[in-house]
Amino acid sequence: MIRFHNCCVVLGVICAVVAGCKAPRQGTVTAEQYALAEQWLPANAMAKVRNLNVSPAWIGQSNRFWYRRETAEGHEFVVVDAETGAKTPAFDHEAIAAGLTQAGVDDTIPTSLPFSVFEFDDSESTISFAVGEAQYVCAVDHGKCSTEPAAAGDPGVLASPNAKLGVRSRTGNLYLIDRETGDETALTSDGEPHFGYGIYYGNWYSSHIPRQRAGGDEAFPPMETHWAPDSRHILTTRLDERHVQPYPLIVTSPPDGSFRPVLYLPRIPLVGEEPARLEWFVIDTLTGKKVLLNLPYEELLHVHQDMLAIRKFWWGEDLDHLYVAAYGDTIRSTHFFEIELATGAVRRVIDESMHPRSDFSSSSYDPPNVFLNERADEVIWWSQREGWGHLYLYDLGSGKLKNRITEGAWLVRDVIRVDKEARRIYFTANGKEGGNPYFRYLYGVNFDGTGLELLTPEPADHVMESPNIDPRFLAAFGGEAPANFSPDGRFFVYGYSTVRQPTKYAIRRTADGELVSHFEEADASELYATGWQDPEPFVAKADDGVTDLYGVLYMPHGLDETGSYPIIDAQYASPLTAVVPHNYAGIFTAPPALTKAGYMTALGFASVIVDARGTTYRDISFSHHSWKNLHQIGLYDHVAAISELANRYQWMDIDRVGIHGGSYGGWVTFRAMFDFGDFFKVGVTSVPPAIMHGLYPDYHWEAFHGEAVYEDESELKPTPASKPINWQNANAVEEAADLEGKLLILLGEIDENVFPASTLIVVDQLIKLDKDFEMYYYPNTSHAIVNTHSIHRSMDYFVEHLMGFEPPEYRFNMDDR
């Protein structure tokens, strides 16, 4: 095998970017390449693909939906009839533009109306939408527009379903608000600031946002507080953090321009310290009656960074009962409880325990695949008890298993719809159709396990998300859960694609999967005109030589196969998810880190993304490979896969491999540079944890590496300096002496997710060891450090140290994000 090491990289022409430009001279990276990389930053690249993301908005209870369609001139709004696939304009765009102009909205043109979403009235004769702070109502035929006063809102108030009432938290107590009169009534009186109702766990929102406003009002709606459908009862939490010490975070450069640093003191426990505790209550806002839910709190998951014990709940149809799906401590168990609201009495319906962990879906980031069918006294339950994630049907009354619903060597991914009347479940699954085991397909199956039917036959990833997304993640979907099925369930809408096939959108009939129409298709021609090349999917063997790993390879722009190109492992190797893109929209945003794989190719790098053993969406033996293995975090598999690719492609320089990751991927970058320094030569690690025991006690660590145990065999540390004896292999401080390559560290000073101190303890060790490294410390910045400077410096670092070239003079035009 011939290798070309340490030689100049020959890069292709990039005349698609700058008309008449010449190929960069050998041995340089040019400003033109940086300009091309800027075009390929995720937001910029996605803007060059028309109709990349189409979301149906169903009109009332009809089988018609509208969507916003991007055109060469701008965009338009289209209504589609799911019965026939027929498309018509949603309204008279010219009339609406004229109406808005007459109403005082400047520069309004029909092909680029100044709103993205709207609502029809019941008769579909008017549409309403917001432009800036103003709300408009316009007639769909003649376009005459009128303004309405913007609905008065308080971000700290949670409105009731009927919009008449609200509830807020103030100095640890809940207050009922009559939204018509503004009158307030205290619902609780025994709360206090650190032992209160609706108050927030220390790092549940950015720590630089004050927790309380003037008068003690919480800045956000009460934590984990939910209205019942009757707009009378609320489910709420009481947090006890009195025993938790403050965790200091300091803003050295206050945004108000003052010069005295600002200190914030959220109460956040560390590993080995007693965590904050939650209790759950139901309050009758009419009578003031408060009932403690007598859940087995000591058995349940404590308050953690990413979630609470209760993952999903249902109000009983008679509002006499509440039903709860909950995690046990360290997610070794899952539970389903029935709670009598009059007394708070709890009945166990389902208890399941597994080693090392149990779950409600393949990734704890995904919504629980648990559903209540109260009318038939049944619970649909997801479990990996037989090696793959499947659905089971339980009797609600007895808690006994009635029957399996699905089975086989494949995985139920997300339950999309449950038709209780027809007793049929619609879900996405991976691995049943052969080929790429990460492709999602939609299926239907009866409650009794019969009638399993494939409904989306295209060999691609079918993007359909569960409507039961955690509200904290709904921002990714515009604040509302996606609605793939029509209101009556007779039709469904979806997009499907691969990493090399732009998204197509289709409508099918639910009853038999019959195709109604393809109503839209993404157009990437503008992107391809810049020279963009879609990544190549690949399969490689894991370190065991047996297990197939799936990934994508982004080729260097202007590839000359006689040359030699450095490689970047672009990763987020978390045991909580899988990050290799398998659909078209994902190729621009992968991995979830500061540096994306796609735009680095413009600079002449090959970028690899691979999901190693220990990640999700495969069988249980694959996903549980991470147990007590977080110090290696799949890196042996990364090395094996990249080495195999370098054997296939002679232009990949196995002696010049770099790695980048953020957050969990930052942890992995530290491990790569310290423990695999003979393979990874350059690392850029952003917002990285470096020691588990310097962070909050989180199920990430406990469920995947074992609960922390101290020298006295206790789970609570006997001294402030005690370290878990069973986590010694996950202490990057101990491996810092092994750093030989080039390392850049990026961190934000008020990161409430990965505390700066947990990174700086390793920085301190590197200094004591007189190791060479570089660091950028971003003042007044939390976990999201994605900005012009951090992206640019990451590019420069890899160009200088992995390529060996002087970065060019270049200034980005992008706004900080």
Side-chain angles (χ1 to χ4, degrees):
M1 181 176 68
I2 299 175
R3 281 271 182 254
F4 296 90
H5 298 320
N6 302 316
C7 69
C8 298
V9 178
V10 180
L11 297 167
V13 297
I14 54 172
C15 295
V17 183
V18 181
C21 70
K22 296 181 180 180
R25 66 182 178 84
Q26 196 171 4
T28 64
V29 175
T30 67
E32 287 81 7
Q33 288 173 267
Y34 270 67
L36 182 59
E38 184 174 5
Q39 288 198 54
W40 291 351
L41 293 172
N44 297 336
M46 295 169 77
K48 293 176 172 58
V49 183
R50 292 181 202 153
N51 302 305
L52 180 61
N53 294 300
V54 169
S55 182
W58 297 96
I59 302 172
Q61 296 301 305
S62 73
N63 287 319
R64 297 160 56 245
F65 63 88
W66 65 262
Y67 73 98
R68 182 178 181 269
R69 183 175 186 274
E70 295 169 339
T71 67
E73 295 77 26
H75 62 262
E76 62 184 359
F77 295 90
V78 178
V79 168
V80 182
D81 186 339
E83 299 257 9
T84 63
K87 294 165 62 173
T88 56
F91 44 77
D92 186 330
H93 290 64
E94 292 189 358
I96 297 297
L100 283 173
T101 299
Q102 189 173 11
V105 181
D106 296 333
D107 302 322
T108 303
I109 58 176
T111 55
S112 188
L113 294 170
F115 55 90
S116 299
V117 296
F118 69 89
E119 288 187 6
F120 280 112
D121 68 347
D122 291 342
S123 65
E124 298 181 33
S125 59
T126 66
I127 58 172
S128 59
F129 50 86
V131 178
E133 298 297 320
Q135 189 75 18
Y136 291 87
V137 178
C138 301
V140 298
D141 50 359
H142 54 74
K144 184 176 181 180
C145 298
S146 60
T147 59
E148 289 187 345
D154 185 330
V157 174
L158 179 69
S160 61
N162 65 10
K164 295 180 179 180
L165 301 172
V167 64
R168 76 168 321 125
S169 178
R170 177 183 302 129
T171 60
N173 283 298
L174 292 180
Y175 291 82
L176 183 69
I177 301 169
D178 185 320
R179 300 183 72 205
E180 295 178 353
T181 65
D183 294 340
E184 289 189 0
T185 304
L187 290 175
T188 65
S189 59
D190 56 339
E192 55 187 82
H194 295 293
F195 184 36
Y197 300 90
I199 64 175
Y200 276 79
Y201 178 54
N203 54 358
W204 263 38
Y205 53 81
S206 296
S207 52
H208 63 289
I209 299 175
R211 293 185 57 158
Q212 281 85 35
R213 299 183 299 186
D217 288 348
E218 284 281 346
F220 296 95
M223 183 183 103
E224 290 299 303
T225 299
H226 309 272
W227 282 95
D230 65 355
S231 293
R232 171 173 170 174
H233 295 84
I234 59 171
L235 173 68
T236 192
T237 57
R238 188 180 193 184
L239 177 71
D240 186 358
E241 59 178 9
R242 291 171 296 179
H243 56 284
V244 178
Q245 295 182 52
Y247 192 96
L249 292 165
I250 189 166
V251 176
T252 56
S253 179
D256 64 2
S258 59
F259 305 104
R260 188 175 293 275
V262 178
L263 179 67
Y264 293 108
L265 296 169
R267 296 202 176 196
I268 305 173
L270 299 182
V271 168
E273 298 175 353
E274 188 69 29
R277 303 283 178 171
L278 272 186
E279 293 178 323
W280 294 78
F281 293 83
V282 167
I283 301 176
D284 184 334
T285 62
L286 184 61
T287 66
K289 181 182 178 181
K290 180 181 67 177
V291 177
L292 170 67
L293 308 187
N294 294 308
L295 291 161
Y297 293 105
E298 291 305 314
E299 298 178 32
L300 301 183
L301 186 71
H302 300 151
V303 184
H304 280 104
Q305 163 68 8
D306 286 327
M307 64 181 177
L308 302 178
I310 292 181
R311 298 301 294 145
K312 191 174 178 181
F313 68 90
W314 300 258
W315 296 95
E317 292 186 359
D318 56 7
L319 291 181
D320 286 341
H321 291 85
L322 188 75
Y323 301 90
V324 167
Y327 273 126
D329 197 16
T330 68
I331 69 171
R332 291 198 188 106
S333 59
T334 45
H335 309 274
F336 192 91
F337 301 114
E338 180 185 66
I339 305 170
E340 185 179 63
L341 293 183
T343 64
V346 174
R347 181 175 70 89
R348 293 175 181 268
V349 179
I350 303 172
D351 292 306
E352 181 167 12
S353 297
M354 292 181 63
H355 179 79
R357 61 187 182 271
S358 187
D359 217 324
F360 293 120
S361 57
S362 185
S363 168
S364 56
Y365 282 165
D366 294 342
N369 287 314
V370 182
F371 289 81
L372 171 69
N373 184 15
E374 189 183 6
R375 295 179 186 177
D377 244 19
E378 293 171 329
V379 179
I380 298 167
W381 186 258
W382 189 95
S383 171
Q384 297 183 93
R385 66 187 61 163
E386 296 185 37
W388 292 87
H390 279 293
L391 300 176
Y392 300 80
L393 189 67
Y394 277 84
D395 181 83
L396 177 63
S398 67
K400 293 182 178 179
L401 177 67
K402 295 179 70 171
N403 58 263
R404 296 188 60 155
I405 301 175
T406 61
E407 59 182 314
W410 48 277
L411 172 80
V412 172
R413 178 78 170 265
D414 286 304
V415 174
I416 308 299
R417 183 172 185 269
V418 176
D419 187 335
K420 297 177 182 178
E421 301 299 328
R423 298 183 60 76
R424 194 155 174 82
I425 304 165
Y426 299 94
F427 63 92
T428 56
N430 298 0
K432 190 175 185 304
E433 302 307 312
N436 186 329
Y438 293 91
F439 280 174
R440 290 167 287 181
Y441 294 82
L442 183 72
Y443 299 85
V445 68
N446 296 325
F447 278 27
D448 64 3
T450 63
L452 179 65
E453 181 182 14
L454 171 67
L455 297 173
T456 53
E458 304 92 351
D461 187 32
H462 298 80
V463 181
M464 301 182 75
E465 305 289 347
S466 169
N468 299 286
I469 296 170
D470 189 311
R472 284 170 288 168
F473 299 113
L474 280 182
F477 297 94
E480 296 184 4
N484 295 99
F485 280 81
S486 62
D488 64 6
R490 293 173 51 215
F491 302 93
F492 63 90
V493 178
Y494 65 98
Y496 66 93
S497 64
T498 70
V499 296
R500 299 186 65 79
Q501 172 198 305
T503 314
K504 296 181 179 180
Y505 293 92
I507 306 167
R508 289 185 182 270
R509 282 193 280 269
T510 306
D512 54 11
E514 186 70 24
L515 179 68
V516 175
S517 75
H518 284 97
F519 68 92
E520 191 56 81
E521 182 173 356
D523 178 2
S525 56
E526 182 183 350
L527 176 67
Y528 292 139
T530 67
W532 171 272
Q533 184 176 352
D534 296 331
E536 292 278 355
F538 68 83
V539 182
K541 293 299 181 184
D543 182 65
D544 63 2
V546 176
T547 306
D548 284 339
L549 304 178
Y550 289 77
V552 292
L553 169 62
Y554 293 74
M555 306 286 190
H557 179 62
L559 173 65
D560 175 358
E561 295 192 11
T562 67
S564 176
Y565 295 82
I567 307 161
I568 294 177
D569 184 353
Q571 52 74 37
Y572 180 81
S574 166
L576 304 177
T577 189
V579 300
V580 171
H582 299 284
N583 57 64
Y584 200 76
I587 65 177
F588 308 108
T589 58
L594 176 65
T595 297
K596 307 298 182 182
Y599 63 74
M600 293 300 288
T601 65
L603 306 182
F605 294 101
S607 286
V608 176
I609 311 177
V610 63
D611 283 321
R613 288 172 297 167
T615 55
T616 58
Y617 306 133
R618 301 280 289 272
D619 67 285
I620 197 170
S621 63
F622 188 98
S623 62
H624 284 190
H625 185 72
S626 57
W627 172 242
K628 294 189 176 181
N629 206 17
L630 293 188
H631 61 297
Q632 296 171 354
I633 201 68
L635 281 168
Y636 284 115
D637 286 350
H638 284 243
V639 170
I642 293 170
S643 298
E644 183 175 332
L645 287 174
N647 281 327
R648 293 184 203 173
Y649 302 106
Q650 298 297 299
W651 48 264
M652 293 180 70
D653 188 347
I654 199 64
D655 287 337
R656 290 190 294 165
V657 180
I659 187 168
H660 170 263
S663 195
Y664 227 120
W667 160 270
V668 176
T669 301
F670 267 143
R671 308 307 304 193
M673 297 303 295
F674 294 166
D675 299 345
F676 294 79
D678 57 338
F679 187 81
F680 296 102
K681 303 304 193 302
V682 179
V684 176
T685 180
S686 59
V687 291
I691 52 172
M692 293 181 186
H693 54 275
L695 291 171
Y696 36 82
D698 199 284
Y699 79 100
H700 296 183
W701 316 128
E702 298 166 346
F704 296 88
H705 206 68
E707 279 187 286
V709 177
Y710 291 87
E711 60 265 29
D712 61 355
E713 299 184 356
S714 167
E715 295 176 8
L716 298 178
K717 56 185 178 183
T719 72
S722 293
K723 305 171 194 173
I725 59 175
N726 60 328
W727 286 8
Q728 292 178 4
N729 61 2
N731 182 357
V733 175
E734 302 298 325
E735 285 80 35
D738 295 326
L739 175 65
E740 297 298 335
K742 295 292 185 178
L743 177 64
L744 173 63
I745 301 169
L746 309 167
L747 68 159
E749 74 174 352
I750 50 172
D751 189 337
E752 76 290 347
N753 192 325
V754 174
F755 308 140
S758 73
T759 304
L760 291 173
I761 192 170
V762 175
V763 170
D764 181 56
Q765 181 71 357
L766 291 170
I767 292 171
K768 290 175 180 176
L769 293 167
D770 196 23
K771 290 287 185 178
D772 289 331
F773 69 96
E774 296 182 34
M775 183 176 76
Y776 288 105
Y777 187 89
Y778 290 90
N780 194 25
T781 303
S782 60
H783 197 55
I785 63 167
V786 181
N787 54 52
T788 302
H789 187 274
S790 60
I791 291 175
H792 196 172
R793 298 292 85 74
S794 298
M795 289 182 181
D796 286 353
Y797 200 78
F798 280 120
V799 167
E800 180 178 358
H801 295 292
L802 199 58
M803 281 186 168
F805 299 154
E806 184 73 21
E809 289 292 329
Y810 184 77
R811 287 294 175 263
F812 282 92
N813 296 314
M814 60 176 277
D815 294 328
D816 285 356
R817 280 169 274 172

